Amino acid sequence: FEADRRHHDELAPGAPRKHRIASIAHHHLLALVGPHPEPPMKYLMKRNDRMPSLETTLYNGSVPLDLTAATSVKMIAKGFGASTPKIDAAMTVVAPATGGVVRYDWLAADTDTAGTYRLEFEVTWNTGKKQTIPNHGYDELVITEDLG
């Protein structure tokens, strides 16, 4: 941190030491977290529709997430205030796995209730560790009423 202290002394020469250290910690936190996450995605369906399948690309920062070492990917959708997920199901990794593309083919029960659902994707790696996408907030699945 010594080089960073000198750097922050140059940027804010009169700032109290505690502010310089907080700024250094913030600088390193940003370096660990990386760029700001992409805005949430919104997926739209009509009630009882099962086509098209949901196909999306999962990202690691700004590049597609390489799913070669993934043992499973699942989609979880939960209504606001709900205690259990509406959907908690396995997805298919679309070849090549390096492209980060996954697909889900809807079941009848998935789209039978109109509403807005929080949505996330959970990747389980061959190490047994899990990674949730998006890692900040949620995507949205919106199922609107059909007219017939």
PDB file of all heavy atoms in Angstrom, residues 67-81:
ATOM      1  N   LEU A  67     -18.208 -21.846 -19.880  1.00  0.00           N
ATOM      2  CA  LEU A  67     -18.915 -22.853 -19.085  1.00  0.00           C
ATOM      3  C   LEU A  67     -18.332 -24.252 -19.254  1.00  0.00           C
ATOM      4  O   LEU A  67     -18.945 -25.232 -18.842  1.00  0.00           O
ATOM      5  CB  LEU A  67     -20.399 -22.846 -19.461  1.00  0.00           C
ATOM      6  CG  LEU A  67     -21.130 -21.539 -19.150  1.00  0.00           C
ATOM      7  CD1 LEU A  67     -22.510 -21.523 -19.785  1.00  0.00           C
ATOM      8  CD2 LEU A  67     -21.212 -21.320 -17.648  1.00  0.00           C
ATOM      9  N   THR A  68     -17.130 -24.352 -19.823  1.00  0.00           N
ATOM     10  CA  THR A  68     -16.505 -25.647 -20.055  1.00  0.00           C
ATOM     11  C   THR A  68     -16.388 -26.464 -18.766  1.00  0.00           C
ATOM     12  O   THR A  68     -16.619 -27.674 -18.763  1.00  0.00           O
ATOM     13  CB  THR A  68     -15.114 -25.466 -20.699  1.00  0.00           C
ATOM     14  OG1 THR A  68     -15.271 -24.694 -21.894  1.00  0.00           O
ATOM     15  CG2 THR A  68     -14.475 -26.795 -21.022  1.00  0.00           C
ATOM     16  N   ALA A  69     -16.050 -25.836 -17.661  1.00  0.00           N
ATOM     17  CA  ALA A  69     -15.853 -26.538 -16.386  1.00  0.00           C
ATOM     18  C   ALA A  69     -17.125 -26.560 -15.530  1.00  0.00           C
ATOM     19  O   ALA A  69     -17.077 -26.980 -14.378  1.00  0.00           O
ATOM     20  CB  ALA A  69     -14.701 -25.902 -15.610  1.00  0.00           C
ATOM     21  N   ALA A  70     -18.256 -26.146 -16.079  1.00  0.00           N
ATOM     22  CA  ALA A  70     -19.513 -26.158 -15.324  1.00  0.00           C
ATOM     23  C   ALA A  70     -20.107 -27.563 -15.322  1.00  0.00           C
ATOM     24  O   ALA A  70     -20.153 -28.228 -16.355  1.00  0.00           O
ATOM     25  CB  ALA A  70     -20.506 -25.170 -15.921  1.00  0.00           C
ATOM     26  N   THR A  71     -20.557 -28.008 -14.161  1.00  0.00           N
ATOM     27  CA  THR A  71     -21.240 -29.301 -14.093  1.00  0.00           C
ATOM     28  C   THR A  71     -22.743 -29.135 -14.232  1.00  0.00           C
ATOM     29  O   THR A  71     -23.431 -30.075 -14.629  1.00  0.00           O
ATOM     30  CB  THR A  71     -20.919 -30.038 -12.770  1.00  0.00           C
ATOM     31  OG1 THR A  71     -21.299 -29.214 -11.673  1.00  0.00           O
ATOM     32  CG2 THR A  71     -19.433 -30.365 -12.685  1.00  0.00           C
ATOM     33  N   SER A  72     -23.249 -27.934 -13.914  1.00  0.00           N
ATOM     34  CA  SER A  72     -24.668 -27.653 -14.116  1.00  0.00           C
ATOM     35  C   SER A  72     -24.902 -26.152 -14.132  1.00  0.00           C
ATOM     36  O   SER A  72     -24.128 -25.385 -13.566  1.00  0.00           O
ATOM     37  CB  SER A  72     -25.526 -28.305 -13.025  1.00  0.00           C
ATOM     38  OG  SER A  72     -25.313 -27.673 -11.791  1.00  0.00           O
ATOM     39  N   VAL A  73     -25.983 -25.779 -14.801  1.00  0.00           N
ATOM     40  CA  VAL A  73     -26.468 -24.395 -14.788  1.00  0.00           C
ATOM     41  C   VAL A  73     -27.970 -24.495 -14.577  1.00  0.00           C
ATOM     42  O   VAL A  73     -28.643 -25.290 -15.239  1.00  0.00           O
ATOM     43  CB  VAL A  73     -26.175 -23.654 -16.110  1.00  0.00           C
ATOM     44  CG1 VAL A  73     -26.735 -22.234 -16.057  1.00  0.00           C
ATOM     45  CG2 VAL A  73     -24.698 -23.646 -16.426  1.00  0.00           C
ATOM     46  N   LYS A  74     -28.485 -23.715 -13.637  1.00  0.00           N
ATOM     47  CA  LYS A  74     -29.930 -23.725 -13.453  1.00  0.00           C
ATOM     48  C   LYS A  74     -30.471 -22.307 -13.392  1.00  0.00           C
ATOM     49  O   LYS A  74     -29.742 -21.358 -13.120  1.00  0.00           O
ATOM     50  CB  LYS A  74     -30.349 -24.541 -12.240  1.00  0.00           C
ATOM     51  CG  LYS A  74     -29.968 -23.991 -10.895  1.00  0.00           C
ATOM     52  CD  LYS A  74     -30.494 -24.936  -9.812  1.00  0.00           C
ATOM     53  CE  LYS A  74     -30.189 -24.449  -8.431  1.00  0.00           C
ATOM     54  NZ  LYS A  74     -30.833 -25.295  -7.419  1.00  0.00           N
ATOM     55  N   MET A  75     -31.746 -22.200 -13.692  1.00  0.00           N
ATOM     56  CA  MET A  75     -32.456 -20.933 -13.660  1.00  0.00           C
ATOM     57  C   MET A  75     -33.408 -20.974 -12.471  1.00  0.00           C
ATOM     58  O   MET A  75     -34.113 -21.966 -12.265  1.00  0.00           O
ATOM     59  CB  MET A  75     -33.239 -20.728 -14.951  1.00  0.00           C
ATOM     60  CG  MET A  75     -34.036 -19.443 -14.984  1.00  0.00           C
ATOM     61  SD  MET A  75     -34.842 -19.158 -16.579  1.00  0.00           S
ATOM     62  CE  MET A  75     -36.153 -20.359 -16.540  1.00  0.00           C
ATOM     63  N   ILE A  76     -33.411 -19.884 -11.697  1.00  0.00           N
ATOM     64  CA  ILE A  76     -34.298 -19.785 -10.539  1.00  0.00           C
ATOM     65  C   ILE A  76     -35.123 -18.516 -10.694  1.00  0.00           C
ATOM     66  O   ILE A  76     -34.566 -17.430 -10.881  1.00  0.00           O
ATOM     67  CB  ILE A  76     -33.489 -19.740  -9.228  1.00  0.00           C
ATOM     68  CG1 ILE A  76     -32.600 -20.976  -9.129  1.00  0.00           C
ATOM     69  CG2 ILE A  76     -34.419 -19.622  -8.031  1.00  0.00           C
ATOM     70  CD1 ILE A  76     -31.541 -20.892  -8.052  1.00  0.00           C
ATOM     71  N   ALA A  77     -36.440 -18.651 -10.649  1.00  0.00           N
ATOM     72  CA  ALA A  77     -37.349 -17.505 -10.738  1.00  0.00           C
ATOM     73  C   ALA A  77     -38.268 -17.546  -9.531  1.00  0.00           C
ATOM     74  O   ALA A  77     -38.876 -18.575  -9.229  1.00  0.00           O
ATOM     75  CB  ALA A  77     -38.160 -17.567 -12.021  1.00  0.00           C
ATOM     76  N   LYS A  78     -38.357 -16.427  -8.833  1.00  0.00           N
ATOM     77  CA  LYS A  78     -39.171 -16.356  -7.622  1.00  0.00           C
ATOM     78  C   LYS A  78     -39.982 -15.067  -7.656  1.00  0.00           C
ATOM     79  O   LYS A  78     -39.445 -13.989  -7.926  1.00  0.00           O
ATOM     80  CB  LYS A  78     -38.266 -16.377  -6.390  1.00  0.00           C
ATOM     81  CG  LYS A  78     -39.025 -16.450  -5.067  1.00  0.00           C
ATOM     82  CD  LYS A  78     -38.095 -16.317  -3.876  1.00  0.00           C
ATOM     83  CE  LYS A  78     -37.548 -17.648  -3.467  1.00  0.00           C
ATOM     84  NZ  LYS A  78     -36.861 -17.583  -2.146  1.00  0.00           N
ATOM     85  N   GLY A  79     -41.272 -15.170  -7.372  1.00  0.00           N
ATOM     86  CA  GLY A  79     -42.139 -13.997  -7.299  1.00  0.00           C
ATOM     87  C   GLY A  79     -41.758 -13.129  -6.120  1.00  0.00           C
ATOM     88  O   GLY A  79     -41.235 -13.624  -5.107  1.00  0.00           O
ATOM     89  N   PHE A  80     -42.023 -11.845  -6.217  1.00  0.00           N
ATOM     90  CA  PHE A  80     -41.736 -10.930  -5.111  1.00  0.00           C
ATOM     91  C   PHE A  80     -42.575 -11.334  -3.905  1.00  0.00           C
ATOM     92  O   PHE A  80     -43.780 -11.509  -4.018  1.00  0.00           O
ATOM     93  CB  PHE A  80     -42.022  -9.484  -5.527  1.00  0.00           C
ATOM     94  CG  PHE A  80     -41.044  -8.966  -6.540  1.00  0.00           C
ATOM     95  CD1 PHE A  80     -41.295  -9.103  -7.900  1.00  0.00           C
ATOM     96  CD2 PHE A  80     -39.865  -8.371  -6.136  1.00  0.00           C
ATOM     97  CE1 PHE A  80     -40.377  -8.642  -8.831  1.00  0.00           C
ATOM     98  CE2 PHE A  80     -38.951  -7.916  -7.058  1.00  0.00           C
ATOM     99  CZ  PHE A  80     -39.211  -8.051  -8.415  1.00  0.00           C
ATOM    100  N   GLY A  81     -41.929 -11.542  -2.773  1.00  0.00           N
ATOM    101  CA  GLY A  81     -42.616 -11.934  -1.559  1.00  0.00           C
ATOM    102  C   GLY A  81     -42.888 -13.433  -1.457  1.00  0.00           C
ATOM    103  O   GLY A  81     -43.391 -13.896  -0.444  1.00  0.00           O
TER     104      GLY A  81
END
